[in-house]
Amino acid sequence: MSEIIFELKNVTKIFGHHIETQVTALSGVDLKISKGEFVALVGPSGSGKSTLLNIMSGFDTPTSGDVLLSGKKINEISGTELSDFRRDHIGFIFQSYNLIPVLTVRENVEYVMILQGRPVKEREEKVKDFLSAVGLAGKEDRYPSELSGGQQQRVAVARAMVSRPDIVIADEPSANLDSKTGTALVEMMLSLNEKFKTTFIFSTHDPVIMEKARRLVTIKDGRIIHEKKNT
Amino acid sequence: MLLKMALRNIIRNRRRSLLTGMMMSGGFVFISISLGFLDGSYGAIISLFTGQHTGHIQITDKSYIKTPSLYKTIHNFETVLTDLSKNKSIRALAPRIHSEALVYYKSATFGAEVVGIDPIAEDAATAYSRRILNGSALSETSGYDVLVGKTLARVLQVGIGDDIVLISQGADGSIANDIFRVIGSVGTEQEGRDDYRIYMPLKTAAEFFSLYHQAHEISVHLYDFNLASRISDSLVDSDSALVARPWQEVESDFYRTMQLDRQGNDVSILILMLMVGIGVLNTILMSTLERSREFGVLKALGTHPAHIFFMIMSEGLILSVFAAALGSLVSTIINEYLSQSGIQFAEPVSFAGMKISEFRSSVTSGTILFPSCVIIFTTLLASLYPALKSSKSSVSDALREF
Ligand SMILES: Nc1ncnc2c1ncn2[C@@H]1O[C@H](COP(=O)(O)OP(=O)(O)OP(=O)(O)O)[C@@H](O)[C@H]1O
Ligand SMILES: [Mg+2]
């Protein structure tokens, strides 16, 4: 068994302060993710997928339980320490692409490396590598608005992977794309997962995409109810 | 990188940036022109007020200030004059003798203020000859000729060519009395200091009051009255018996009235600042609200909240600096034009006993510097809340899909 990089221990998330209006989005979730896994998180709407991914990302803190990434309890750090930890260990792909509109494709992809203070030369090389890995070589100087949705999401994949994070977290990365483009995107993510051994976890509603995942985690009413490994 | 993004964000939303910039520039121009007008009209009032009598700086014997008396004079004032005339800021110097005398004409008697003036120097300084209502000005050769204030002339019913008798006391204790010939009357349309005065040549006054080589006052007229308080101290040695006081001190009542008037105008500028500030707050708030998802992404990627704050503040700063530059250009042109041509009033406006019939703007560094500071400061203040709000907002809220 390979090394476990992500671990959730008995994580519970309750929204709302008043008893009457409280929503239990997650209750007692335990999850372990090993290095290099390609995990799909599925479940009906409102089941708690986004909540779980937000907690894994450090965007939200759990009401109780622990979240460990590379041995660090991220539910106990905050402020710039959390910012920097996220910058160095997690890559993100969002549902609605969310590229920075005022930055070119190149600048979007190298943004995290700029934050990390990597040298220009290294940045240039990596941007080139990853843009060709997602099939967008030659579009470095375009602005996001000049690209199609599928292309923008591929830029987002390059941006998430370029700094070689421990894990890439993606909440419904294909939801804004048509089925064919969405499937192609996830296939590309899978090939990058194989090529670079980057760990992925993403949520989806699309049965075709679920098929692609190596591991399928099903969640309902805030509990993991089913686990399945595809081979 | 953040600065680059700030700049591009301004360019991206060209119309809104332009609108905000225009609002800032508009506020700038308005403040600048009001200031220009204020400076210009206050300047006009000050030069009118000081130009006629006091001058911009008054030099006297130290003790003369508290209780002006015949004996408290500047000795050898000619030497003082020669020294002062080397100063490049000084436009004109007018030495004067001040005293009182009883005036007799036919059966009438009246107390008058006697002022001895150097006809040429005085005219260069205060252009007193322009205040002569009828008759002629004093000249070098005038001897026992005098000009009589208009009210005094009316009370005594003296006219040109009439002889009057003045009785007073000389500095040496002697009785001073002599016959003088009236060669004109002096004053302005309004009430003024000339009204109960008798002007005679300085030499004659020196003889009459036995004040040889002495004067009570040297009135200093500068090229720029704004320098008065700055250079007054340098005009006399601190250990000498003399003191040089700027007009703000000599005419402190007048100065206070003017300061009060100015404070009223400061309030209007404050209100304008508030209006510009609210407008800027509104647009910046809108533009940051619109981009809250973007800020969420930036934070998710690891950007520190402080950097988001810095980026939004930079946008405000860049925009306001541009607006200030544009505003400076426009208002300098307008102020320059107004300082040349001025705006005529339909009705003259009275201030401190003077009538002003024209508003002229003045162009000073203050009419650019002050509005620049105001606009930039107001913008930064208005950016503070949106910047703080955006930098503090939670990532999950910003990224939530609707
Ligand atoms: N900020 C919040 N405040 C209150 N309740 C919330 C909040 N975020 C999520 N919830 C609730 O938590 C539950 C789980 O929501 P979540 O968004 O995680 O579901 P999801 O599985 O991502 O759904 P979808 O498939 O529609 O994206 C829902 O009942 C939702 O209403
Ligand atoms: Mg969701």
Side-chain angles (χ1 to χ4, degrees):
Chain A
M1 189 70 201
S2 65
E3 170 198 359
I4 291 170
I5 57 159
F6 220 123
E7 189 172 3
L8 285 100
K9 288 184 187 166
N10 197 20
V11 165
T12 298
K13 178 68 182 180
I14 299 169
F15 287 108
H17 298 289
H18 299 286
I19 301 281
E20 318 90 68
T21 56
Q22 268 178 357
V23 177
T24 305
L26 296 173
S27 49
V29 173
D30 288 302
L31 184 66
K32 284 181 187 168
I33 296 171
S34 307
K35 193 166 166 49
E37 274 197 295
F38 195 74
V39 185
L41 190 63
V42 300
S45 186
S47 56
K49 301 184 295 294
S50 296
T51 307
L52 184 65
L53 294 178
N54 280 343
I55 285 175
M56 291 175 77
S57 310
F59 298 157
D60 257 338
T61 47
T63 311
S64 67
D66 281 329
V67 185
L68 286 98
L69 174 53
S70 306
K72 182 115 184 157
K73 268 191 198 174
I74 66 169
N75 53 306
E76 284 179 0
I77 59 174
S78 62
T80 56
E81 193 188 355
L82 180 59
S83 287
D84 291 348
F85 189 80
R86 209 153 47 206
R87 178 192 72 194
D88 296 338
H89 297 276
I90 312 177
F92 294 97
I93 304 167
F94 307 98
Q95 179 178 329
S96 31
Y97 331 138
N98 285 336
L99 301 177
I100 305 302
V102 293
L103 299 182
T104 61
V105 167
R106 181 204 315 281
E107 290 165 337
N108 263 288
V109 174
E110 69 177 353
Y111 184 80
V112 174
M113 291 191 291
I114 292 174
L115 289 184
Q116 288 172 332
R118 305 264 187 103
V120 181
K121 197 135 185 279
E122 185 194 342
R123 293 197 323 241
E124 267 174 15
E125 273 169 23
K126 289 228 166 139
V127 168
K128 203 162 157 257
D129 288 352
F130 276 87
L131 278 181
S132 42
V134 299
L136 285 174
K139 303 237 187 290
E140 287 86 351
D141 295 320
R142 300 275 187 98
Y143 279 92
S145 58
E146 297 164 349
L147 301 177
S148 72
Q151 287 174 324
Q152 286 189 48
Q153 199 61 313
R154 270 144 67 195
V155 175
V157 172
R159 176 177 70 181
M161 294 189 66
V162 74
S163 58
R164 312 304 312 276
D166 297 335
I167 189 167
V168 172
I169 298 175
D171 193 1
E172 308 204 27
S174 61
N176 277 17
L177 303 171
D178 60 72
S179 185
K180 214 176 113 214
T181 322
T183 309
L185 182 90
V186 174
E187 275 170 351
M188 193 192 74
M189 280 162 56
L190 187 58
S191 73
L192 291 169
N193 160 261
E194 279 162 2
K195 186 174 169 196
F196 294 100
K197 306 283 172 259
T198 308
T199 315
F200 276 86
I201 181 166
F202 65 98
S203 63
T204 184
H205 281 287
D206 191 330
V208 183
I209 290 172
M210 292 175 205
E211 295 294 303
K212 310 278 175 201
R214 291 295 152 78
R215 181 178 167 196
L216 206 61
V217 176
T218 310
I219 181 171
K220 199 183 170 205
D221 296 332
R223 292 170 199 278
I224 293 174
I225 54 159
H226 190 68
E227 283 252 20
K228 187 181 146 201
K229 296 225 170 170
N230 289 338
T231 39
Chain B
M1 187 68 171
L2 287 170
L3 274 176
K4 188 155 73 177
M5 285 168 73
L7 198 64
R8 286 193 198 163
N9 271 317
I10 291 171
I11 298 167
R12 169 168 60 157
N13 218 316
R14 229 162 278 162
R15 186 163 345 133
R16 185 176 34 222
S17 301
L18 216 65
L19 219 69
T20 318
M22 292 288 263
M23 193 163 58
M24 293 180 194
S25 305
F28 184 105
V29 170
F30 191 85
I31 294 174
S32 174
I33 291 178
S34 337
L35 279 180
F37 261 142
L38 286 181
D39 278 2
S41 47
Y42 284 125
I45 292 165
I46 292 165
S47 46
L48 211 68
F49 189 84
T50 54
Q52 279 187 6
H53 299 285
T54 317
H56 304 136
I57 298 171
Q58 184 195 53
I59 298 175
T60 59
D61 187 85
K62 273 178 188 144
S63 58
Y64 186 80
I65 300 163
K66 246 193 200 153
T67 45
S69 97
L70 188 61
Y71 310 103
K72 296 166 180 168
T73 58
I74 306 166
H75 291 271
N76 290 321
F77 72 89
E78 293 94 338
T79 349
V80 182
L81 285 183
T82 322
D83 281 351
L84 287 174
S85 59
K86 286 173 198 145
N87 193 312
K88 293 227 158 44
S89 312
I90 294 176
R91 183 179 63 79
L93 292 161
R96 293 171 195 153
I97 285 176
H98 286 277
S99 193
E100 289 102 35
L102 277 174
V103 194
Y104 291 87
Y105 177 67
K106 291 187 180 157
S107 57
T109 314
F110 216 86
E113 198 189 331
V114 177
V115 184
I117 56 173
D118 177 329
I120 291 167
E122 188 67 36
D123 211 34
T126 61
Y128 83 98
S129 61
R130 271 194 254 150
R131 304 201 302 274
I132 291 174
L133 295 170
N134 49 55
S136 54
L138 299 170
S139 74
E140 282 288 80
T141 58
S142 275
Y144 283 71
D145 294 342
V146 293
L147 290 167
V148 180
K150 69 169 197 288
T151 316
L152 189 62
R154 202 181 58 235
V155 173
L156 293 170
Q157 294 190 313
V158 296
I160 295 168
D162 292 337
D163 285 335
I164 56 173
V165 174
L166 294 184
I167 299 180
S168 188
Q169 196 186 18
D172 56 359
S174 65
I175 300 280
N177 60 347
D178 243 314
I179 300 171
F180 296 84
R181 169 147 302 160
V182 176
I183 62 165
S185 73
V186 62
T188 54
E189 271 176 50
Q190 297 93 46
E191 286 180 14
R193 297 187 186 187
D194 294 330
D195 297 356
Y196 292 94
R197 278 182 173 177
I198 288 175
Y199 289 101
M200 63 174 71
L202 195 66
K203 273 188 220 148
T204 316
E207 255 170 57
F208 186 68
F209 292 109
S210 309
L211 288 171
Y212 303 99
H213 305 294
Q214 295 173 54
H216 292 104
E217 154 189 45
I218 295 171
S219 164
V220 180
H221 292 249
L222 306 174
Y223 288 102
D224 179 4
F225 64 79
N226 291 310
L227 296 175
S229 45
R230 221 173 310 155
I231 67 168
S232 61
D233 281 343
S234 68
L235 293 186
V236 295
D237 291 337
S238 53
D239 55 355
S240 86
L242 304 181
V243 61
R245 295 183 308 153
W247 63 270
Q248 289 95 326
E249 248 174 78
V250 182
E251 303 290 355
S252 52
D253 286 344
F254 167 74
Y255 184 60
R256 257 200 302 280
T257 319
M258 273 206 2
Q259 291 297 88
L260 274 175
D261 207 68
R262 282 208 109 136
Q263 275 160 24
N265 292 303
D266 290 347
V267 172
S268 2
I269 286 172
L270 210 70
I271 291 170
L272 193 78
M273 267 171 74
L274 211 66
M275 278 162 53
V276 173
I278 289 170
V280 173
L281 179 70
N282 187 45
T283 44
I284 293 186
L285 210 55
M286 253 164 54
S287 88
T288 51
L289 220 62
E290 228 177 58
R291 286 186 284 153
S292 55
R293 174 179 291 272
E294 217 174 296
F295 297 136
V297 173
L298 288 176
K299 272 187 269 186
L301 296 180
T303 314
H304 293 178
H307 292 156
I308 306 271
F309 176 82
F310 174 74
M311 188 172 84
I312 297 172
M313 292 303 277
S314 310
E315 282 175 34
L317 186 70
I318 295 171
L319 208 57
S320 59
V321 167
F322 269 108
L326 181 71
S328 309
L329 195 75
V330 173
S331 43
T332 305
I333 292 170
I334 297 177
N335 272 335
E336 192 65 50
Y337 171 76
L338 289 177
S339 73
Q340 301 296 320
S341 56
I343 293 177
Q344 297 285 335
F345 286 159
E347 285 280 320
V349 175
S350 244
F351 184 94
M354 284 168 298
K355 282 207 170 125
I356 313 282
S357 58
E358 193 191 49
F359 244 9
R360 273 171 189 277
S361 184
S362 89
V363 186
T364 60
S365 57
T367 60
I368 297 299
L369 216 63
F370 180 72
S372 298
C373 294
V374 166
I375 291 297
I376 293 170
F377 175 76
T378 308
T379 306
L380 288 184
L381 204 67
S383 309
L384 214 57
Y385 173 68
L388 224 61
K389 195 176 142 82
S390 305
S391 71
K392 286 233 152 74
S393 72
S394 94
V395 182
S396 58
D397 285 346
L399 290 174
R400 183 165 301 131
E401 304 284 347
F402 295 101

